[in-house]
């Protein structure tokens, strides 16, 4: 049992498992329609909602998302069987990758700072003297905050010696680094996709599980059932997610029906060599710094909010870019499926014609359970191309920069490499990146690695394992890797 497990993850997993099981039945559409009733039969005890009918309604919404549709477009009259039929027939996933389940959304109170009953009415009045906006006054000997003047800066919270001032936050809004999620007119969360960078932080932050990725499991299973040449591409972070050797996970994917399974770490090796050359050329031209380009959320950030730093971003493709290219060069008609640690890669996949579908680690785990595949009992199958230690270390924060540095050292390049790691995107780190661009200078280094998730891809929103354990497993697997230069140069 992972320490990342909680009630929401269990519920999402159960629904994905039941969708997978339903797909294997001859009457998939009817089996899908009955899932809410199977999960919450008549007379069952209800823990989370007011009644069994409300429970079923929210489960239905989660199934709609699990079938790859947006709840925002749902008219509540469409049967789950209709959605199931449409999921098997569509050839392309819906554009926006996230959906908000209004039935599950609590409609949290607005974010605000308020004075609690712990206020002691002290003589010093540090809260009042600290506030620059005149929002705090003293009424009946106690501090009072005028909401119309308060800027939610939190300075009074830090000033209060008793900790008597608190800030009420809206979890999904507070973690979004680009303010892409706000309340709509009904008080429910709404995502502004023109701002959203698909980082997935809101998914994990919502304690009601109201924000969902739109799953592509049925799309993938349908292509397999049609007899297509469907190729799985495993993100390097997968080494830290399951309690099985990667060679067994590969066999499990073949058993699911994939024609072949590739390590995206082999694409990471190409990224390393190409990015090392890019860095070498930029330093020769006296560029102040270069940022890496492997994180899909960071690339979306640059595109939508941080255009000023674009001249400093490496033009090298991501590991997924090169791996998908390898697959399509072998068979232009194949169907490629990336197995992903995060929501952002769904967006990258939609922007890349060589990537057809994305399923995340949560979905893969549910798929294996739903198909009753006992991974531990399977034989090992090896990859045709063995990836390097450096490529397999990409999912750990600092791994990309270290790989580029190692490549330059192994090639005997006399270039000073000073990595600077942005370990997680938030408002503060975005301000830092803006200052680097504005001043054309990074005071902390000349090779800036940006990871949206703290810890790297092993901290992605669909991670199944605690980071410390995941990093240990990734390290162990990486140490079995091949020499980086030899491996990557053969593929380029």
């Amino acid at each position: 049992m992972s320490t990342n497990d909680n009630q929401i993850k269990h519920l999402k997993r159960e629904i994905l498992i039941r969708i997978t099981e339903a797909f294997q039945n001859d009457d998939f559409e009817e089996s899908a329609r009955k899932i809410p009733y199977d999960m919450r039969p008549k007379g069952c005890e209800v823990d989370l909602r007011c009644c069994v009918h409300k429970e079923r309604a929210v489960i239905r919404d989660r199934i709609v998302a699990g079938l790859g549709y947006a709840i925002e477009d749902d008219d509540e009259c469409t049967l789950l069987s209709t959605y199931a039929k449409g999921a098997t027939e569509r050839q392309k996933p819906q554009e926006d990758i996230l959906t908000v389940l209004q039935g599950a959304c609590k409609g949290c109170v607005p974010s605000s700072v308020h004075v609690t009953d712990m206020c002691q009415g002290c003589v010093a009045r540090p809260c009042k003297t600290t506030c620059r906006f005149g929002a705090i006054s003293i009424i009946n000997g106690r501090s009072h905050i005028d909401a119309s003047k308060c800027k939610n800066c939190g300075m009074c919270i830090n000033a209060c010696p008793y900790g008597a001032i608190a800030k009420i936050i809206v979890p999904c809004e507070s973690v979004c680094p680009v303010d892409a999620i706000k309340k709509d007119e009904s008080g429910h969360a709404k995502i502004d996709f023109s701002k959203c960078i698909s980082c997935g932080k809101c998914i994990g932050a919502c304690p009601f599980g109201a924000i969902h990725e739109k799953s592509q499991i049925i799309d993938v299973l349908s292509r397999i059932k049609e007899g297509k040449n469907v190729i799985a591409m495993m993100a390097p972070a997968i080494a830290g997610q399951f309690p099985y050797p990667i060679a067994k996970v590969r066999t499990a994917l073949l058993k699911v029906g994939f024609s072949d399974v590739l390590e995206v770490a082999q694409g990471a090796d190409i990224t390393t060599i190409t990015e090392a050359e890019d860095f070498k050329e930029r330093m020769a031209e006296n560029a102040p710094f270069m940022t890496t380009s492997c994180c899909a959320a960071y690339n979306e950030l640059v595109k939508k909010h941080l255009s000023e730093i674009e001249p400093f971003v490496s033009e090298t493709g991501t590991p997924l870019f090169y791996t998908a290219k390898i697959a399509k060069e072998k068979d232009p008609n194949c169907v490629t499926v990336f197995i992903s640690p995060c929501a952002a890669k769904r967006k990258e996949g939609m922007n890349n014609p060589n990537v057809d579908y994305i399923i995340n680690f949560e979905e893969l785990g549910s798929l294996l359970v739903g198909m009753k595949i006992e991974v531990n009992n399977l034989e090992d199958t090896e990859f045709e191309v063995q990836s390097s230690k450096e490529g397999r270390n990409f999912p750990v924060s600092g791994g990309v920069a270290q790989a580029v540095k190692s490549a330059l050292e192994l090639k005997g390049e006399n270039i000073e490499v000073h990595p600077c790691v942005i370990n997680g995107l938030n408002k503060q780190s975005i301000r830092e990146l803006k200052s680097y661009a504005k001043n054309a200078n990074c005071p902390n280094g000349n090779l800036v690695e940006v990871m949206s998730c703290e810890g790297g891809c092993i901290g992605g929103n669909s991670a199944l394992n605690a980071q410390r354990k995941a990093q240990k497993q990734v390290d162990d697997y990486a140490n079995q890797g091949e020499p980086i230069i030899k491996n990557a140069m053969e593929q380029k």
Side-chain angles (χ1 to χ4, degrees):
M1 187 73 67
S2 164
T3 55
N4 275 12
D5 281 330
N6 59 42
Q7 181 76 3
I8 293 169
K9 285 183 176 287
H10 280 299
L11 183 58
K12 290 169 66 176
R13 194 175 304 151
E14 181 181 357
I15 288 171
L16 290 169
I17 289 170
R18 286 180 179 268
I19 289 174
T20 302
E21 290 173 338
F23 183 82
Q24 297 172 82
N25 296 336
D26 293 333
D27 58 344
F28 170 50
E29 296 162 26
E30 178 64 12
S31 296
R33 186 190 69 80
K34 292 167 61 178
I35 291 176
Y37 305 93
D38 293 337
M39 290 181 65
R40 297 295 183 268
K42 184 177 180 179
C44 73
E45 292 186 8
V46 177
D47 295 329
L48 303 177
R49 309 287 169 183
C50 59
C51 64
V52 69
H53 306 292
K54 179 68 172 178
E55 276 280 276
R56 288 173 181 165
V58 175
I59 288 172
R60 175 192 175 276
D61 285 355
R62 296 188 190 280
I63 295 168
V64 171
L67 291 170
Y69 292 95
I71 292 300
E72 293 86 346
D73 300 332
D74 177 44
D75 61 6
E76 298 184 353
C77 296
T78 303
L79 297 175
L80 283 177
S81 55
T82 302
Y83 281 122
K85 184 174 187 293
T88 61
E89 294 175 346
R90 69 173 170 238
Q91 297 299 309
K92 188 176 180 180
Q94 289 189 344
E95 183 65 26
D96 295 325
I97 65 171
L98 300 177
T99 183
V100 179
L101 282 58
Q102 289 198 351
C105 180
K106 188 68 174 179
C108 304
V109 297
S111 176
S112 64
V113 177
H114 74 109
V115 181
T116 71
D117 291 340
M118 291 296 294
C119 178
Q120 303 296 305
C122 59
V123 176
R125 314 290 196 215
C127 56
K128 182 178 180 180
T129 57
T130 300
C131 181
R132 295 178 297 168
F133 309 104
I136 298 180
S137 59
I138 307 302
I139 300 177
N140 296 327
R142 304 279 294 275
S143 294
H144 172 77
I145 298 176
D146 183 341
S148 66
K149 296 180 180 179
C150 179
K151 304 298 182 183
N152 286 348
C153 68
M155 292 182 68
C156 58
I157 297 174
N158 298 327
C160 179
Y162 293 101
I165 304 178
K167 184 173 185 177
I168 298 174
I169 65 169
V170 180
C172 60
E173 291 182 15
S174 67
V175 299
C176 180
V178 292
D179 295 323
I181 186 164
K182 298 289 183 183
K183 294 180 182 299
D184 62 13
E185 57 277 3
S186 66
H188 295 103
K190 184 176 182 179
I191 299 171
D192 182 346
F193 288 104
S194 68
K195 294 181 178 179
C196 178
I197 61 172
S198 306
C199 65
K201 295 179 188 293
C202 56
I203 298 172
C206 178
F208 301 98
I211 305 172
H212 263 248
E213 292 182 60
K214 292 187 285 189
S215 178
Q216 297 171 22
I217 277 186
I218 297 304
D219 305 74
V220 173
L221 290 176
S222 296
R223 302 297 87 78
I224 291 174
K225 188 175 182 179
E226 291 167 2
K228 303 282 189 181
N229 178 23
V230 185
I231 298 175
M233 304 176 293
M234 297 196 310
I238 199 170
Q241 302 305 310
F242 295 95
Y244 319 109
I246 290 299
K248 290 187 185 298
V249 177
R250 184 177 191 274
T251 308
L253 286 166
L254 294 172
K255 197 168 180 63
V256 166
F258 289 98
S259 308
D260 196 5
V261 183
L262 306 179
E263 269 194 294
V264 174
Q266 77 176 95
D269 288 341
I270 301 175
T271 293
T272 298
I273 295 300
T274 309
E275 201 150 77
E277 287 297 317
D278 190 359
F279 181 77
K280 175 185 172 182
E281 291 173 7
R282 289 177 186 241
M283 293 303 103
E285 295 170 357
N286 295 317
F289 66 92
M290 182 186 86
T291 75
T292 58
S293 59
C294 293
C295 177
Y298 172 55
N299 290 334
E300 285 293 301
L301 174 72
V302 172
K303 186 188 306 180
K304 295 181 178 180
H305 303 278
L306 202 57
S307 59
E308 59 265 44
I309 207 170
E310 191 169 3
F312 303 100
V313 179
S314 172
E315 297 178 357
T316 303
T318 68
L320 173 57
F321 172 86
Y322 292 114
T323 308
K325 183 180 178 184
I326 289 169
K328 290 290 188 178
E329 285 175 348
K330 287 184 177 181
D331 178 6
N333 296 317
C334 74
V335 176
T336 55
V337 180
F338 178 58
I339 301 174
S340 167
C342 68
K345 283 295 183 181
R346 287 193 197 272
K347 191 66 177 177
E348 179 184 339
M350 287 185 171
N351 293 331
N352 184 343
N354 287 334
V355 180
D356 296 300
Y357 299 108
I358 309 279
I359 62 174
N360 64 32
F361 295 158
E362 281 184 325
E363 292 167 337
L364 175 59
S366 302
L367 183 63
L368 297 176
V369 173
M371 296 186 74
K372 297 177 173 56
I373 296 175
E374 297 288 342
V375 182
N376 215 34
N377 297 332
L378 300 176
E379 296 180 353
D380 295 356
T381 56
E382 299 301 326
F383 293 96
E384 181 181 338
V385 176
Q386 291 295 313
S387 304
S388 74
K389 172 182 178 179
E390 289 81 0
R392 291 174 178 175
N393 257 329
F394 262 50
V396 177
S397 190
V400 180
Q402 184 56 51
V404 172
K405 183 176 181 180
S406 296
L408 291 167
E409 289 173 350
L410 287 168
K411 292 179 71 175
E413 301 287 358
N414 187 24
I415 300 173
E416 290 288 330
V417 182
H418 302 290
C420 168
V421 178
I422 302 294
N423 185 25
L425 285 177
N426 51 48
K427 288 182 172 61
Q428 174 58 35
S429 60
I430 292 173
R431 282 195 292 269
E432 289 178 15
L433 288 166
K434 282 182 178 290
S435 72
Y436 298 168
K438 179 181 178 180
N439 300 317
N441 176 51
C442 172
N444 302 313
N446 58 3
L447 178 59
V448 183
E449 176 191 310
V450 185
M451 286 286 193
S452 172
C453 300
E454 289 187 22
C457 299
I458 56 174
N461 67 276
S462 68
L464 304 174
N465 219 344
Q467 280 196 32
R468 183 176 296 181
K469 187 173 181 181
Q471 182 165 347
K472 173 67 166 57
Q473 291 178 201
V474 169
D475 288 344
D476 290 344
Y477 183 61
N479 287 330
Q480 305 169 26
E482 295 290 320
I484 183 172
I485 296 295
K486 174 179 179 296
N487 185 48
M489 291 307 291
E490 286 177 353
Q491 294 181 68
K492 275 197 73 177

